[in-house]
């Protein structure tokens, strides 16, 4: 079955498949654990994972969040500003490529595990970070208007097009590493290595009107 307009009011663990339509709302202060299952976010148009107020955590342990539209760009999935998605697993599309927007925090937070972001189009207005694990960002089109940072582990960006806008920052922490090897890299913001291992290897084109340090 399908859960429509679902709200979760207290801590919860789910280990199986869920079909979620018309968005998901999390109560302030709760943690929802996806213990390895697949959650399909379905329905035409805008779909959101958000909070009624405050902040909430969605913990992934090898599970996935997936769009579920067969029409390309038929869904726009937004992760709200009060939502932290932590752990390891995948954010991707079930079939046709969709539009994903992050206004919250996506945190690769489990040592030696990887959080993979792989939809058709992905825009980050919030924060992407590694606090323990590894982060792979591999959509067709990736636009960063927010912050990407490594506090531990490794960052890999291998999208077809990666645009770091004037408001975008990529900060590679000391003792970590980052590989930015998209097809096309456009940097108008800041990319900072802090003496860490940073590989910039776009396979086709790149331009820089921002700062590289």
């Amino acid at each position: 079955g399908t859960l429509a307009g679902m709200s979760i009011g207290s801590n919860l663990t789910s280990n199986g498949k869920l079909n979620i339509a018309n968005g998901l709302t999390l109560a302030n202060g709760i943690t929802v654990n996806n213990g390895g299952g697949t959650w399909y976010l379905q329905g035409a148009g805008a779909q959101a994972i958000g909070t009624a107020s405050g902040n909430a955590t969605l913990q992934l342990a090898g599970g996935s969040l997936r769009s579920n539209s067969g029409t390309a760009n038929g869904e726009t999935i937004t992760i709200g500003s009060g939502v932290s998605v932590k752990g390891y697993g995948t954010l991707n599309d079930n079939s046709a490529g969709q539009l994903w927007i992050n206004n919250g925090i996506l945190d690769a937070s489990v040592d030696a595990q990887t959080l993979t972001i792989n939809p058709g189009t992905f825009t980050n207005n919030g924060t992407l970070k590694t606090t323990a694990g590894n982060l792979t960002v591999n959509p067709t089109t990736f636009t960063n208007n927010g912050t990407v940072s490594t506090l531990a582990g490794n960052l890999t960006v291998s999208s077809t097009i990666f645009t770091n806008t004037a408001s975008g920052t990529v900060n590679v922490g000391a003792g970590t590493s980052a590989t930015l090897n998209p097809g096309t890299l456009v940097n108008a913001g800041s990319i900072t290595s802090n003496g860490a291992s940073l590989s910039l290897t776009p396979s086709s084109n790149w331009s820089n009107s921002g700062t590289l340090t």
Side-chain angles (χ1 to χ4, degrees):
T2 299
L3 302 172
M6 182 179 178
S7 295
I8 301 177
S10 60
N11 294 343
L12 177 72
T13 297
S14 171
N15 294 312
K17 169 185 171 182
L18 287 179
N19 294 318
I20 300 170
N22 303 324
L24 173 64
T25 301
L26 308 177
N28 179 39
I30 70 168
T31 296
V32 177
N33 291 288
N34 177 327
T38 299
W39 291 9
Y40 294 96
L41 306 168
Q42 58 192 43
Q47 307 293 323
I49 301 174
T51 59
S53 64
N55 302 289
T57 299
L58 176 54
Q59 186 80 34
L60 297 178
S64 64
L65 306 177
R66 293 188 181 184
S67 68
N68 199 30
S69 173
T71 302
N73 300 325
E75 281 184 85
T76 298
I77 297 174
T78 301
I79 297 171
S81 59
V83 175
S84 295
V85 179
K86 297 184 176 183
Y88 64 100
T90 59
L91 281 68
N92 61 4
D93 299 316
N94 192 41
S95 53
Q98 306 301 325
L99 309 173
W100 288 65
I101 299 169
N102 174 51
N103 295 326
I105 297 171
L106 303 182
D107 180 6
S109 62
V110 177
D111 186 43
Q113 300 289 345
T114 300
L115 178 63
T116 299
I117 302 169
N118 189 32
T121 300
F122 178 69
T123 298
N124 177 50
N125 300 320
T127 299
L128 308 181
K129 63 181 179 179
T130 64
T131 55
N134 306 309
L135 178 64
T136 296
V137 187
N138 189 31
T140 302
T141 302
F142 172 31
T143 302
N144 180 46
N145 302 312
T147 300
V148 181
S149 63
T150 60
L151 305 176
N154 306 292
L155 166 69
T156 302
V157 176
S158 52
S159 51
T160 304
I161 301 171
F162 172 34
T163 302
N164 191 45
T165 68
S167 62
T169 63
V170 178
N171 189 50
V172 186
T176 70
S177 65
T179 300
L180 309 182
N181 61 344
T184 297
L185 172 61
V186 178
N187 179 49
S190 65
I191 300 176
T192 305
S193 69
N194 297 296
S197 173
L198 172 62
S199 174
L200 292 171
T201 55
S203 62
S204 180
N205 301 297
W206 78 298
S207 64
N208 177 47
S209 59
T211 59
L212 299 172
T213 56

